[in-house]
Amino acid sequence: MPKEKRELKDLSIDPAVLDILSLAKQKNYETVWDRLERQSPHCKFGSSGLCCRNCVMGPCRITEKTPKGVCGADAATIVARNLIRALAAGAAAHSDHGRAVAVLFNEVAQGKNKDYQIADEAKLKSIAEKFHIHTSQDITSIAKEVARVALEDFGKQDEKALNFLEAYAPQKRKETWQKVEEALFSQTGKKMGILPRNIDREITECMHRTHMGVDNQALSLLVQGVRTALADGWGGSLIATELQDVLFGTPDKKVIKANLGVLKEDQVNIIVHGHEPILSEQVVAAAMSPEMQEKAKEVGAQGINVAGICCTANEVLMRLGVPVAGNMIHQELAIMTGVVEAMVVDVQCIFPSLGPLAKCFHTKFISTSDRAAFPEAVHIQFDEHHAREVAQKIVETAIEAFKERDPQKVHIPQEVEEAVVGFSVEEIIKILGGSPKPLVDAILAGKIKGVVGIVGCNNPKIKHDAFHISLTKELIKKDILVIGTGCWAIAAAKAGFMKLDAQALAGEGLKEVCKALDIPPVLHMGSCVDCSRMLVLAAALADYLKVDISDLPLVGSAPEWTTEKAVSIGTYFVASGVPVHLWPMPPIGGSEEVVGILTEGVKDLLGGYFFIEEDPVKTASRMERIIMEKRKAF
Ligand code: SF4
Ligand code: MSK
């Protein structure tokens, strides 16, 4: 965070954001940047991971003069404990989402929920095949068996690896994890498991080990962190993605619109924000129904416009083509346009500031999840068993709010970009003609040097979208295909990098491949749980070439990262063999030992590792060097 006060232009590269920010300044609306300024400078103990409050003999802070906490824990233990607690929270967020989908899917399979259906039978069968479930049975029987293996991963008590990890991870990678477990045991004499056994168990074990007086060694703690991250990437997140595809359809290529300009002055605007399509799919369906459109006309609107923010946006744009109003940092700004009748939220990345802010407008800030309460929200309890009814109530609440809109407060920035989205692994393989071969051939021929997968949030400490866009631009220029998810994907869509025209910004080789396949050089693969799609794509390439993921010219990045989920995502990519860039610096600087393990020590064991770089141009160059190095071994 720069020490000097930042000017407006230094806060974002998005003109729509700057437009609303000057309005906010005029009208005195508070934003995330105002609160960041008041919180700065941040506590250096927290920033370096050196503060422990895991028991009430503390809190303890580590300095040169006080190198041990009251219990005797040193800097490495405290930093590692804090890190894996954050990672466990991130894995829990993804996996709780995954569990909700698996439970719903089971109910649909059992015939106990009629508000949802199986939308993609072909995907269900392809999942079933991975588990050697007979696909000649009727669809309901297949679904019941797939539900059983998914739910088992949240509750089984044996020592075997997760069903989903066993079925989806490439053979060579599984052998690597096995070897790492053996190597750690022979080096230390202590059992250190990498292969996750049960998603909830690994998260619980992180919490147990970080309790005062349990696990007090950085390596041992970090290995459990790796196991928990794998339980997320090849477990909770993967289950969420796969079963959502079955329930709501596997994304395919489509054109959408992005940025605040998608909001419509003459319509009832409903924003869906958060993460779980179980809610947002129903809200979109209810809003589009002729009955609700008619009701909107009765209050003087031309219709109902649904737009998304954050990863809920990514879910509904990938499957339904719903426009996206923005990424994480747009959530307050969208309300400030004065045309949002309802901001409907479920879980994750939703600022508690939205309730008080919505009160300055006619906007109804509607919370829906029993897991998430917010100050000054209107709570309409979502219930999967009455999903249509509840979704209708939400839409009706928005329609009612339209009557209260104050025309004096309306200010919609005009910025809108088009983006080609919907690149599920299935869609990519279809575009490639049914096999990864054309992509592999393009990589082998050097037309595409390699692939970088980016996920990322927004973080007001960093100029909004600046790192995302600068890094993306540099990479495609270097003939590196960029794929990704989350708030990075929304940044790329808003900046026009997902249009076919963006082919012109790519290097000659990448441009040629993209033109032949009629795709942009930057591919939107979905929400943050959909990082699992990138793992599945990496697995498909590794299996095709009969190599390990760590042999592929792949690099990951989480620029502008914010959430604990990003800690888990970054770690499961590293654990899967991918070098991962991070900026900003995670709170681990207080321990050289922890930094050493994560940036160097893991390399020999897992193939992946973390690296930190503040400059996007230098990051792209470093990524290119890593890719070129990996290509030599091909
Ligand atoms: Fe201090 Fe140890 Fe308690 Fe942490 S666990 S607060 S280091 S005494
Ligand atoms: S929403 S986790 S800010 S990507 Fe998935 Fe965006 Fe990061 Fe939340």
Side-chain angles (χ1 to χ4, degrees):
M1 173 72 195
K3 286 194 190 61
E4 67 282 5
K5 200 172 155 47
R6 291 185 293 175
E7 285 182 46
L8 208 65
K9 65 174 178 41
D10 298 325
L11 303 185
S12 176
I13 58 163
D14 180 344
V17 169
L18 297 178
D19 181 357
I20 297 286
L21 276 181
S22 33
L23 177 80
K25 210 169 167 196
Q26 259 177 47
K27 306 277 181 189
N28 232 0
Y29 303 142
E30 185 185 89
T31 68
V32 66
W33 287 278
D34 299 321
R35 293 186 296 274
L36 172 66
E37 204 174 299
R38 275 178 240 134
Q39 284 290 339
S40 301
H42 287 277
C43 161
K44 68 179 181 359
F45 294 100
S47 308
S48 56
L50 284 173
C51 166
C52 180
R53 49 182 181 80
N54 291 9
C55 85
V56 286
M57 291 195 286
C60 301
R61 294 172 305 176
I62 300 300
T63 64
E64 261 180 44
K65 280 194 197 144
T66 59
K68 299 268 169 79
V70 177
C71 67
D74 63 10
T77 296
I78 291 173
V79 170
R81 276 200 308 221
N82 287 336
L83 183 71
I84 78 162
R85 275 204 170 193
L87 187 155
H94 282 153
S95 300
D96 210 29
H97 173 166
R99 181 212 328 280
V101 181
V103 168
L104 173 63
F105 175 70
N106 186 44
E107 294 203 331
V108 172
Q110 303 285 345
K112 291 182 187 159
N113 189 317
K114 304 280 182 208
D115 279 19
Y116 298 85
Q117 279 94 37
I118 288 169
D120 191 340
E121 293 187 3
K123 174 100 188 203
L124 175 61
K125 286 184 181 170
S126 80
I127 298 171
E129 275 164 14
K130 287 184 179 288
F131 294 100
H132 311 293
I133 293 168
H134 293 300
T135 52
S136 51
Q137 326 171 59
D138 60 277
I139 281 296
T140 321
S141 305
I142 302 172
K144 282 182 192 163
E145 288 199 48
V146 169
R148 183 186 52 76
V149 289
L151 289 171
E152 221 174 64
D153 276 349
F154 292 94
K156 71 186 189 64
Q157 299 302 326
D158 61 38
E159 296 298 309
K160 290 192 207 133
L162 295 181
N163 297 325
F164 267 72
L165 177 137
E166 282 291 0
Y168 280 75
Q171 191 50 35
K172 293 246 182 202
R173 187 57 4 196
K174 286 187 281 187
E175 288 164 14
T176 303
W177 290 324
Q178 199 73 48
K179 282 186 205 145
V180 172
E181 287 188 353
E182 287 159 13
L184 287 169
F185 185 58
S186 78
Q187 281 164 28
T188 65
K190 179 184 177 292
K191 239 172 105 180
M192 292 199 212
I194 294 255
L195 286 157
R197 303 149 295 183
N198 159 336
I199 298 160
D200 291 343
R201 179 178 174 181
E202 304 315 345
I203 295 164
T204 302
E205 196 168 309
C206 275
M207 299 310 285
H208 179 189
R209 287 186 187 219
T210 53
H211 183 278
M212 192 275 279
V214 183
D215 199 353
N216 290 286
Q217 193 209 42
L219 178 66
S220 175
L221 287 159
L222 294 172
V223 171
Q224 177 57 23
V226 164
R227 176 149 66 173
T228 308
L230 288 174
D232 173 358
W234 296 94
S237 284
L238 180 59
I239 290 171
T241 300
E242 293 296 84
L243 299 187
Q244 282 171 180
D245 282 357
V246 175
L247 286 174
F248 307 119
T250 304
D252 53 12
K253 196 170 134 184
K254 51 181 63 70
V255 181
I256 60 105
K257 290 197 160 55
N259 216 337
L260 288 170
V262 303
L263 297 173
K264 300 206 169 105
E265 191 166 354
D266 57 356
Q267 298 204 16
V268 172
N269 290 293
I270 300 177
I271 290 192
V272 284
H273 170 23
H275 279 76
E276 299 185 343
I278 292 174
L279 166 75
S280 48
E281 286 265 339
Q282 294 284 353
V283 172
V284 174
M288 292 308 133
S289 70
E291 188 195 342
M292 289 296 126
Q293 292 284 338
E294 202 42 53
K295 279 199 173 182
K297 287 187 183 134
E298 283 165 20
V299 296
Q302 292 301 306
I304 304 172
N305 177 38
V306 183
I309 276 188
C310 268
C311 280
T312 276
N314 289 326
E315 297 283 1
V316 288
L317 74 80
M318 289 281 281
R319 296 195 179 89
L320 303 170
V322 169
V324 50
N327 43 15
M328 188 187 82
I329 233 150
H330 286 232
Q331 55 188 294
E332 293 173 324
L333 313 179
I335 291 180
M336 292 173 195
T337 62
V339 293
V340 176
E341 274 60 49
M343 169 83 80
V344 186
V345 303
D346 51 21
V347 289
Q348 300 167 26
C349 308
I350 302 149
F351 292 167
S353 63
L354 295 185
L357 174 66
K359 293 273 176 207
C360 306
F361 298 84
H362 70 300
T363 307
K364 298 286 177 232
F365 173 52
I366 304 175
S367 57
T368 59
S369 169
D370 52 351
R371 289 163 291 174
F374 296 87
E376 302 191 50
V378 178
H379 191 79
I380 301 182
Q381 183 60 54
F382 188 66
D383 173 2
E384 290 80 1
H385 299 99
H386 302 99
R388 287 185 200 151
E389 208 182 304
V390 182
Q392 202 161 330
K393 191 172 166 198
I394 289 170
V395 175
E396 281 168 347
T397 307
I399 295 171
E400 273 303 300
F402 182 81
K403 296 184 201 160
E404 310 297 322
R405 191 193 281 180
D406 179 352
Q408 302 296 319
K409 290 187 176 169
V410 171
H411 184 105
I412 311 177
Q414 291 312 299
E415 281 73 19
V416 188
E417 260 302 353
E418 263 190 7
V420 182
V421 302
F423 294 97
S424 57
V425 177
E426 290 78 357
E427 185 67 358
I428 294 173
I429 299 288
K430 192 173 110 198
I431 290 168
L432 292 171
S435 125
K437 188 175 184 303
L439 178 59
V440 170
D441 288 347
I443 294 173
L444 290 175
K447 288 183 184 164
I448 296 178
K449 284 183 191 148
V451 183
V452 169
I454 312 183
V455 56
C457 311
N458 296 135
N459 188 325
K461 291 177 178 174
I462 296 173
K463 188 174 185 176
H464 169 234
D465 285 353
F467 206 125
H468 289 322
I469 296 313
S470 172
L471 175 63
T472 305
K473 195 171 166 184
E474 288 300 312
L475 289 170
I476 60 172
K477 228 192 318 183
K478 293 176 187 293
D479 289 316
I480 294 169
L481 176 68
V482 182
I483 60 175
T485 62
C487 290
W488 164 82
I490 299 172
K494 286 188 292 145
F497 279 72
M498 288 173 170
K499 287 193 297 195
L500 291 180
D501 294 358
Q503 290 166 348
L505 304 170
E508 287 309 313
L510 177 61
K511 191 190 298 170
E512 185 192 321
V513 177
C514 292
K515 276 191 186 293
L517 297 173
D518 198 29
I519 57 170
V522 173
L523 304 183
H524 192 319
M525 292 191 77
S527 64
C528 40
V529 289
D530 290 338
C531 286
S532 60
R533 296 192 198 276
M534 296 197 268
L535 286 183
V536 173
L537 182 63
L541 297 177
D543 275 341
Y544 182 82
L545 286 161
K546 298 194 176 39
V547 298
D548 196 350
I549 295 177
S550 55
D551 299 321
L552 298 170
L554 296 185
V555 186
S557 175
E560 306 186 32
W561 75 279
T562 286
T563 68
E564 292 167 312
K565 290 180 287 174
V567 179
S568 180
I569 295 170
T571 308
Y572 70 64
F573 273 101
V574 165
S576 301
V578 182
V580 171
H581 157 261
L582 290 179
W583 187 256
M585 171 76 180
I588 58 170
S591 165
E592 276 178 29
E593 185 181 337
V594 171
V595 172
I597 293 171
L598 296 175
T599 57
E600 284 297 328
V602 279
K603 248 185 222 174
D604 293 338
L605 291 171
L606 293 164
Y609 54 92
F610 285 104
F611 64 98
I612 315 287
E613 176 52 64
E614 183 176 2
D615 181 306
V617 177
K618 285 187 190 155
T619 304
S621 301
R622 174 134 184 212
M623 287 174 162
E624 187 182 26
R625 285 200 300 279
I626 296 169
I627 283 172
M628 296 317 281
E629 199 52 42
K630 295 219 179 222
R631 290 183 60 86
K632 281 188 203 156
F634 250 50

